[in-house]
Amino acid sequence: GKQEGISLGKQEGISLGKEGILISIQVLLDLKFGEEGLKLLAEIKQINDLKLLTEIPLKIKEAKSPEDFRQSYLNLIENNLN
């Protein structure tokens, strides 16, 4: 009943939040690295932790290359697993 509705609402909110962040990440990767950056998007879409995803745009800004960015976000994921 009511609890299921609240739970479903939260899930939809999280889904929309993730979608918005992923669009931002896609635009930033394209602007900064072009096609090479966009190749990383499939990996990033596998991340379900909204908090981690919100940290990724800063990692893009700081990165000097697509590979530099990839190492940076992999380190971010690894640090959050521990």
Side-chain angles (χ1 to χ4, degrees):
K2 184 177 178 184
Q3 198 60 32
E4 287 174 6
I6 291 171
S7 182
L8 186 61
K10 280 183 181 177
Q11 284 300 91
E12 285 183 25
I14 289 169
S15 180
L16 288 173
K18 180 179 178 183
E19 196 67 31
I21 293 168
L22 287 173
I23 290 168
S24 300
I25 290 169
Q26 180 177 356
V27 170
L28 289 169
L29 285 172
D30 189 27
L31 287 173
K32 181 127 185 190
F33 303 122
E35 202 62 38
E36 285 300 306
L38 290 175
K39 290 179 182 176
L40 299 170
L41 199 57
E43 288 180 37
I44 295 167
K45 285 183 176 182
Q46 302 303 310
I47 300 170
N48 289 316
D49 185 327
L50 230 55
K51 183 178 173 295
L52 279 180
L53 284 172
T54 60
E55 294 180 40
I56 287 181
L58 183 60
K59 299 297 180 189
I60 295 170
K61 184 179 180 206
E62 294 171 346
K64 293 172 181 30
S65 69
E67 188 52 41
D68 186 33
F69 164 65
R70 186 168 188 271
Q71 281 306 311
S72 180
Y73 86 76
L74 288 175
N75 287 340
L76 182 69
I77 292 168
E78 197 172 296
N79 290 339
N80 278 277
L81 292 177
N82 299 328

